[in-house]
Amino acid sequence: MEGVAGRFPVQTKAETIEINGKATEVVISKFSDKLFIILTQYGKVGNLVEVRRDVAQKEDPSSAVYSVRVLLGRDDEEIHVAALPSFARSILLDFTMSSPKTIFGQVVIGPPGSGKSTYCHAMSDFLRSQNRKVAMVNLDPGNDVLPFTASIDVSKLITVQDVMENFNLGPNGALVYCMEFLEKNLDWLFVEIEKFKDHYLIFDLPGQVELYTHHNSVKNIMKQLEAFGLRLCCVQLVDSHYCSDPGKFISVLLTAMTTMFQMEMPQVNVLSKVDLAEQHGRLHFGLDFYTEVLDLNYLLDAINKDPFMKKYRQLNAALIDVVENYNFVSFLPLSISDAKLLRNVRAAVDKANGYIFGAGEENQRNIVALLSAAVGAQFHGEFSGTVSEKYLSSDDFREDDQTYENENSMSVD
């Protein structure tokens, strides 16, 4: 199996050229040891021919000798002569010598209800307003109601509903089957992406977090996409109302950290719907406490005020210790209706996937653009303070926030 895996992903080019005044479709797939070429003017294949290079001098590649063998179809002198015409040689040279174009994009994940599809729609509109060509990629085979028009849609390959009906699986099992099926048929996805190689790609993925914390199919798919030439950043969305419950926020931190370890990709964590953060209760601390993941022992004190959770004090303390020891997780606040917050997330993503260092936008390589993007992703404390003033209630001081401020203030004699 290792030998087979090493030959993937299969690079594929599809072009339409004119030969003797007639449109001719050319499809070239590059494997590790051979090229598979289809030439057709009728939309079907009539002959299958193997062309093998027998001899070639390093000093003079043109001295190569080719043998032609017909595997399927008509076998006559005309087929042998036409097996390597001049136009085929030029196509081969272009395919083998040209370097693949780098495609940038972001992979949007998160639990159900975190606003992934809405974010994809809002971010795509925002990027287009910045004169960036964007292609939307739906890789959720269970999502048949999209708020955006998908340029690439996995439902054309497989759907959760079809799997449930044909294999008697539940929704979760069917979704796992779909992702494994996509992993085994990535050539379909590569062909589709090749049509948008000059676009910025936004991938909308399913909401089952097990796909990113335990199962390997999504991770393997991302690895193959990176090998295909994509430079991706993972954007994990989490509903900000979890901040109002200390126990749930610890779960969010563990999920984010586990995803970062499992996916092995640059990752930007986002607290979505920050304008609704206090819809289910007031936050115990200021927003910067949650975005910058400050001293979590104060969060532990808040948890212990709940009589039910108090008996799990040692477990919660151990979980907090794990998060703080790795110190990997932080968040950016986001409300999709706020252009400043969208710009801040975009700047962080562009730094993470390398877009600002190698994209084709007219001013993207300008040092001023690089510095402004960097500044946009820093100074989170000041930025979160502004967001708190805009979206969170401040009519009276939070008791836990007062304790936190008192214990961290400096006394002057």
Side-chain angles (χ1 to χ4, degrees):
M1 293 297 293
E2 292 182 0
V4 174
R7 294 197 294 268
F8 285 89
V10 178
Q11 298 184 38
T12 301
K13 275 191 175 183
E15 301 284 350
T16 300
I17 62 177
E18 187 172 299
I19 300 177
N20 296 331
K22 191 165 186 177
T24 303
E25 296 178 27
V26 182
V27 180
I28 306 177
S29 297
K30 182 180 180 181
F31 294 81
S32 62
D33 56 350
K34 60 177 66 68
L35 294 176
F36 183 70
I37 305 173
I38 298 176
L39 301 172
T40 178
Q41 293 179 331
Y42 302 97
K44 57 183 180 180
V45 177
N47 289 76
L48 183 61
V49 182
E50 180 188 55
V51 180
R52 186 181 298 274
R53 186 174 63 181
D54 297 325
V55 180
Q57 302 294 329
K58 294 182 179 179
E59 296 78 11
D60 183 15
S62 62
S63 66
V65 177
Y66 295 89
S67 62
V68 177
R69 185 163 65 101
V70 176
L71 304 178
L72 178 68
R74 183 165 53 96
D75 187 359
D76 55 28
E77 184 177 358
E78 183 181 0
I79 295 296
H80 286 252
V81 172
L84 280 179
S86 58
F87 71 86
R89 288 197 188 99
S90 64
I91 294 173
L92 280 169
L93 184 62
D94 176 72
F95 184 88
T96 55
M97 297 298 292
S98 62
S99 57
K101 178 180 177 63
T102 300
I103 305 174
F104 294 91
Q106 53 184 281
V107 180
V108 184
I109 65 174
S114 59
K116 296 184 298 300
S117 297
T118 306
Y119 165 84
C120 290
H121 189 200
M123 181 58 74
S124 65
D125 288 345
F126 181 77
L127 293 177
R128 290 187 180 107
S129 71
Q130 307 294 312
N131 298 320
R132 195 180 299 189
K133 297 176 68 176
V134 179
M136 305 299 297
V137 183
N138 175 42
L139 291 188
D140 185 355
N143 190 357
D144 54 358
V145 181
L146 297 171
F148 54 81
T149 301
S151 302
I152 303 173
D153 195 343
V154 72
S155 64
K156 295 180 180 179
L157 178 69
I158 191 171
T159 66
V160 167
Q161 188 63 34
D162 289 341
V163 174
M164 291 173 63
E165 293 176 357
N166 289 281
F167 296 97
N168 295 321
L169 294 173
N172 289 331
L175 182 59
V176 170
Y177 181 94
C178 288
M179 302 314 292
E180 291 177 347
F181 185 84
L182 176 61
E183 181 187 359
K184 300 297 183 183
N185 295 273
L186 275 178
D187 54 334
W188 171 84
L189 184 58
F190 294 141
V191 171
E192 294 297 314
I193 290 176
E194 188 72 20
K195 301 174 184 177
F196 301 95
K197 56 188 177 182
D198 58 342
H199 286 61
Y200 183 95
L201 303 181
I202 299 180
F203 294 81
D204 185 13
L205 268 73
Q208 278 67 9
V209 296
E210 296 84 0
L211 293 173
Y212 320 113
T213 59
H214 298 84
H215 200 262
N216 287 326
S217 283
V218 174
K219 172 184 175 180
N220 295 338
I221 290 170
M222 294 303 118
K223 291 295 182 185
Q224 301 288 4
L225 288 175
E226 289 177 347
F228 188 66
L230 275 68
R231 295 295 175 264
L232 301 173
C233 168
C234 189
V235 179
Q236 175 159 285
L237 270 64
V238 177
D239 198 321
S240 59
H241 81 77
Y242 288 123
C243 297
S244 62
D245 187 320
K248 291 180 180 178
F249 186 67
I250 291 179
S251 298
V252 165
L253 293 174
L254 291 172
T255 301
M257 188 173 66
T258 304
T259 301
M260 295 172 77
F261 290 151
Q262 170 72 4
M263 295 291 288
E264 298 178 352
M265 295 173 62
Q267 182 163 313
V268 175
N269 299 305
V270 175
L271 286 177
S272 63
K273 309 177 188 177
V274 71
D275 51 323
L276 304 175
E278 295 188 322
Q279 186 178 29
H280 300 282
R282 297 195 61 189
L283 304 185
H284 291 76
F285 307 98
L287 186 62
D288 61 332
F289 180 90
Y290 301 94
T291 57
E292 299 180 38
V293 189
L294 301 175
D295 191 345
L296 295 179
N297 286 312
Y298 292 96
L299 201 64
L300 184 62
D301 293 337
I303 294 175
N304 292 332
K305 292 181 180 180
D306 185 337
F308 177 78
M309 295 296 294
K310 189 174 183 179
K311 60 183 179 180
Y312 300 110
R313 177 181 176 86
Q314 289 184 334
L315 174 61
N316 290 325
L319 295 177
I320 285 175
D321 189 53
V322 170
V323 174
E324 290 190 327
N325 283 342
Y326 281 104
N327 196 27
F328 279 163
V329 183
S330 62
F331 295 92
L332 294 176
L334 176 65
S335 171
I336 60 168
S337 59
D338 193 319
K340 291 183 178 179
L341 298 184
L342 273 172
R343 186 179 298 110
N344 198 49
V345 173
R346 184 217 63 185
V349 172
D350 284 351
K351 285 180 62 181
N353 64 15
Y355 182 87
I356 63 172
F357 304 110
E361 288 188 357
E362 184 175 339
N363 68 337
Q364 206 64 53
R365 294 183 185 274
N366 185 288
I367 187 65
V368 175
L370 296 178
L371 291 175
S372 61
V375 171
Q378 295 176 0
F379 308 114
H380 296 317
E382 179 181 350
F383 189 78
S384 297
T386 304
V387 176
S388 297
E389 294 175 3
K390 184 174 182 179
Y391 294 113
L392 304 184
S393 59
S394 58
D395 49 342
D396 54 0
F397 219 75
R398 297 172 176 82
E399 179 183 354
D400 294 323
D401 208 8
Q402 179 71 67
T403 303
Y404 175 78
E405 293 291 341
N406 290 341
E407 295 187 10
N408 287 275
S409 61
M410 295 180 62
S411 60
V412 180
D413 295 332

